[in-house]
Amino acid sequence: MSLKGRDIISIRDLTKDDIELVLNTAEKMEPYARGEKISKLMEGKILETLFFEPSTRTRLSFTSAMQRLGGAVMGFSGTSITSITKGENLTDTIRTVERYCDMIVMRHPMEGSTRLAAEVSSKPVINAGDGGNQHPTQTLLDLYTIKKVKGKIKGLDVVLLGDLKYARTMRSLSFALAMFDANITFVSPKGLEMSKDILTEIEDISGKKPIQTNEIEAGLKKADVIYICRIQKERFEGAKYFDQTFYGVPVRMALLSLISGVI
Amino acid sequence: MGEELKVKKIKDGTVIDHIMAGRGKKVLDILGIGDGYPNTIALLMNVSSERIGHKDILKIENRTLKKEEVDKIALVAPNATWNVIKDFKIMKKSKIELPDILEGVLKCPNPKCVTNSDEPMTTKFMVEEKQPVRLRCNYCERLIDLKDVL
């Protein structure tokens, strides 16, 4: 099993073994992510961060991850200073910029844009969010956070609460939780429920029917983990928001070094 | 006329047989064949069939099918048979089967999908299940409702 040279576009591209490899490697990366140990693992390698849409945590944690491993980062955030304003399409942009780097991290508003980039590029592409579709590295660090806090994922009662219809993290996280045999409850306001096809897929993967409810109290009754979207979770006492923000670095260090084949 | 079909053979063209009863009109729609077509079209509906109970049959004079059209027909008429007719004879007979991947056949109904932008690319759908048909866009990963694409 190896992630060397792979594109990470969707959580669907990863097996449970792949995810476990990333999570276990992330654990080893933590002292380097904190700056307690120094690493030159990615020395001489260049990561390109192409952010066609704004981002704070994802872009900066990828930058931190690469630099903590001794690698270099280049790229852009926003398209105003690129040739895209001159009408260059995404395909040509990728064909151009892949010549300058060893790996690409990309966020783009069009759904499927990162899959297209991966097809065009000979260098590995990591999806940092393609519109409302996927954000696989967010899912990896969500799983890592759950594992750090609870010690395991299997068998946990996990409640996904909020806008389940449009939030991309909800879809990919529920998919991954099903792979790890967690018990999933979806709680949302009416009209923002998780789509039926995702419910069916989750049942296909885990063999367990997820619970879907609009009743918040019923949903939260025996939750081990509550994952909330579109609410200012940093305001909640005991929330793991800032820990989760840090965990983005070791998880991305793990992913970058596994994909580049240096470990 | 007894059991004899009431339609003459065509000299050159295409015959699609064993279409599920009621789907023949949809196959014509897929082929974009309508009122203005200059040659003979025969659509036989609800014909008795030993194999599938009742079936539709479509005969189109002077028309061949492209691969993309056959793939698209497979979505509404799986297991139909496709006959190429030349000089009243069947030159080639094959079963219409849904491939595992549909490329360049359908347009993704998701307006936010990259395939609906100006990128020089073709659409690609993964056929996750054939009966009933379940399609997923390879790019935006949406499950596709056939009603939205046919």
Side-chain angles (χ1 to χ4, degrees):
Chain A
M1 174 186 47
S2 164
L3 289 176
K4 190 178 173 183
R6 295 250 301 266
D7 301 306
I8 309 295
I9 303 303
S10 166
I11 203 74
R12 293 172 202 281
D13 299 339
L14 298 170
T15 63
K16 190 181 171 192
D17 286 348
D18 291 334
I19 294 174
E20 274 175 344
L21 177 64
V22 175
L23 301 188
N24 293 336
T25 310
E27 186 85 47
K28 293 176 199 150
M29 291 293 177
E30 271 205 39
Y32 300 96
R34 290 184 207 283
E36 294 158 4
K37 285 186 180 176
I38 306 292
S39 169
K40 296 282 176 208
L41 212 52
M42 298 289 271
E43 197 170 28
K45 298 205 181 292
I46 298 176
L47 172 71
E48 217 160 50
T49 56
L50 313 180
F51 280 74
F52 297 79
E53 269 194 328
S55 158
T56 305
R57 284 166 291 274
T58 306
R59 187 171 61 83
L60 291 180
S61 63
F62 264 115
T63 304
S64 175
M66 191 63 178
Q67 293 187 349
R68 289 282 196 202
L69 290 169
V73 182
M74 59 186 284
F76 58 79
S77 182
T79 56
S80 59
I81 54 161
T82 66
S83 292
I84 292 145
T85 51
K86 294 189 274 181
E88 186 175 84
N89 62 31
L90 178 64
T91 305
D92 288 341
T93 301
I94 298 297
R95 278 192 189 127
T96 306
V97 301
E98 68 146 332
R99 311 287 170 117
Y100 310 138
C101 67
D102 301 292
M103 263 187 284
I104 294 171
V105 171
M106 177 177 143
R107 171 173 292 185
H108 192 281
M110 294 298 282
E111 296 177 15
S113 50
T114 48
R115 180 77 66 195
L116 170 65
E119 286 177 356
V120 172
S121 170
S122 60
K123 310 285 169 59
V125 175
I126 301 172
N127 183 4
D130 60 329
N133 183 31
Q134 287 274 330
H135 190 357
T137 64
Q138 178 67 45
T139 298
L140 291 171
L141 78 93
D142 288 338
L143 292 174
Y144 188 70
T145 305
I146 293 172
K147 202 177 157 205
K148 288 293 285 186
V149 175
K150 292 288 174 186
K152 61 171 186 176
I153 302 170
K154 188 180 170 157
L156 289 179
D157 291 310
V158 183
V159 173
L160 304 187
L161 173 72
D163 173 0
L164 304 177
K165 191 173 178 185
Y166 298 108
R168 62 186 165 208
T169 52
M170 291 294 193
R171 272 187 244 170
S172 35
L173 178 60
S174 53
F175 200 81
L177 286 169
M179 273 195 240
F180 280 82
D181 209 20
N183 307 310
I184 306 169
T185 302
F186 293 111
V187 184
S188 69
K190 280 201 172 105
L192 291 177
E193 287 91 351
M194 184 57 83
S195 68
K196 274 193 187 131
D197 55 275
I198 300 283
L199 296 180
T200 310
E201 263 188 274
I202 286 167
E203 197 177 343
D204 287 349
I205 297 165
S206 67
K208 284 188 263 188
K209 207 181 173 83
I211 299 165
Q212 169 115 288
T213 176
N214 303 120
E215 305 294 326
I216 189 160
E217 282 173 22
L220 298 184
K221 242 176 204 167
K222 55 169 199 136
D224 295 307
V225 176
I226 304 166
Y227 188 92
I228 307 175
C229 210
R230 295 277 169 93
I231 293 170
Q232 291 194 34
K233 37 197 181 285
E234 66 268 39
R235 304 281 179 241
F236 283 80
E237 201 180 325
K240 297 294 173 189
Y241 179 76
F242 292 110
D243 289 343
Q244 183 200 32
T245 306
F246 165 72
Y247 292 144
V249 181
V251 168
R252 289 178 172 119
M253 288 168 88
L255 203 56
L256 292 172
S257 33
L258 288 165
I259 289 171
S260 69
V262 293
I263 54 170
Chain B
M1 293 177 82
E3 292 298 308
E4 193 182 328
L5 291 180
K6 302 171 184 69
V7 176
K8 279 201 298 185
K9 285 182 174 179
I10 55 171
K11 182 171 183 285
D12 298 299
T14 299
V15 173
I16 306 171
D17 197 356
H18 297 104
I19 302 168
M20 278 154 70
R23 300 275 180 92
K25 176 76 175 57
K26 195 81 212 171
V27 175
L28 271 179
D29 291 345
I30 286 170
L31 295 174
I33 294 174
D35 292 345
Y37 190 71
N39 303 107
T40 304
I41 311 160
L43 171 59
L44 290 93
M45 298 173 75
N46 230 21
V47 179
S48 291
S49 160
E50 277 183 27
R51 202 171 98 190
I52 57 172
H54 287 87
K55 64 180 183 179
D56 289 358
I57 306 170
L58 188 57
K59 300 184 175 197
I60 314 160
E61 204 171 34
N62 296 328
R63 176 70 147 85
T64 53
L65 302 184
K66 296 183 200 124
K67 184 181 182 305
E68 303 90 74
E69 290 174 328
V70 176
D71 287 348
K72 210 166 172 179
I73 291 168
L75 289 167
V76 295
N79 303 320
T81 45
W82 162 34
N83 303 294
V84 178
I85 310 294
K86 267 202 181 138
D87 206 16
F88 298 106
K89 289 193 184 108
I90 298 174
M91 299 307 289
K92 192 182 156 200
K93 184 170 188 157
S94 38
K95 202 168 167 184
I96 295 181
E97 281 175 312
L98 196 55
D100 296 332
I101 298 171
L102 285 170
E103 270 187 275
V105 175
L106 304 168
K107 187 177 180 302
C108 182
N110 174 11
K112 291 177 187 160
C113 180
V114 70
T115 57
N116 290 315
S117 66
D118 296 332
E119 297 300 324
M121 64 190 299
T122 52
T123 61
K124 194 194 275 189
F125 294 87
M126 317 312 282
V127 181
E128 293 189 341
E129 271 176 40
K130 296 194 175 179
Q131 196 64 38
V133 177
R134 193 166 87 172
L135 301 179
R136 188 182 299 279
C137 175
N138 178 59
Y139 294 95
C140 71
E141 302 189 19
R142 295 271 178 100
L143 273 183
I144 306 301
D145 193 331
L146 280 186
K147 289 200 297 289
D148 295 333
V149 288
L150 289 175

